[in-house]
Amino acid sequence: RMGDRSRSPGRRGPQSGGGPPPSDGGEAAKLYVGNLSFQTRNEDLTDFFSEFGRVVDASVAMERDDPGRSRGFGFVSYVAVSDAEFAISKTDNVEWMGRTIRVSISRPREGGGRGGGGGGFQPRGGGRGGGFAGGGGDRFREERGPPRGYDDRGGGGG
């Protein structure tokens, strides 16, 4: 019976034979476009990247605090993976609108959207006691050496 299971590949996903997703509502291929000129707008991305395939969506990331200001990167979605790969081959490391742009397949964010950035630096010893300074910013002490006056060899140095 184990042999039967290994011969039936249809359980994992759609019953297609692989290859690019169908253009009738299959998942689009999304590109990350970096190092954009700050003058780049959504329409500019759409117009430029339409030369390489059927663009579903194109957007320039804008600053939250200043919605009229570009963050210097954006995303372009194609109907077919083959179009996206062709676009990468023709546009990555190419000068456009005065900047050398970087183009690659967009990877989904880990953890889904914002969040997950909690914590910051956590000392291994738990943050209280230990270390040279009794907690807190120990990591800098290790790089600079002990605090002034710590060792008792004399000749404080001023």
Side-chain angles (χ1 to χ4, degrees):
R1 289 181 191 222
M2 292 299 274
D4 291 345
R5 196 179 298 168
S6 67
R7 277 188 258 132
S8 61
R11 295 269 164 134
R12 290 207 170 125
Q15 295 284 340
S16 69
S23 58
D24 60 343
E27 193 167 319
K30 192 173 194 178
L31 299 182
Y32 164 82
V33 185
N35 200 35
L36 289 174
S37 160
F38 292 106
Q39 281 71 47
T40 306
R41 297 291 169 244
N42 296 350
E43 301 78 39
D44 300 321
L45 276 182
T46 302
D47 292 346
F48 180 66
F49 281 90
S50 290
E51 296 177 30
F52 310 103
R54 191 162 147 222
V55 172
V56 178
D57 184 49
S59 61
V60 176
M62 302 305 251
E63 290 287 351
R64 274 187 204 83
D65 301 341
D66 182 3
R69 188 164 157 238
S70 164
R71 294 177 66 191
F73 68 92
F75 299 94
V76 177
S77 296
Y78 281 98
V79 169
V81 173
S82 58
D83 289 350
E85 289 170 346
F86 180 64
I88 291 171
S89 74
K90 294 295 183 183
T91 60
D92 186 36
N93 266 335
V94 167
E95 187 173 312
W96 180 58
M97 292 183 72
R99 304 286 294 262
T100 301
I101 60 172
R102 299 294 318 200
V103 183
S104 60
I105 293 288
S106 174
R107 289 178 289 283
R109 278 194 193 179
E110 296 295 319
R114 291 182 57 85
F121 177 71
Q122 299 287 325
R124 293 245 161 134
R128 290 192 202 200
F132 293 113
D138 308 12
R139 67 181 177 155
F140 299 112
R141 291 280 179 222
E142 293 169 6
E143 293 170 16
R144 287 193 304 233
R148 185 178 295 176
Y150 182 81
D151 65 30
D152 57 352
R153 284 185 279 181

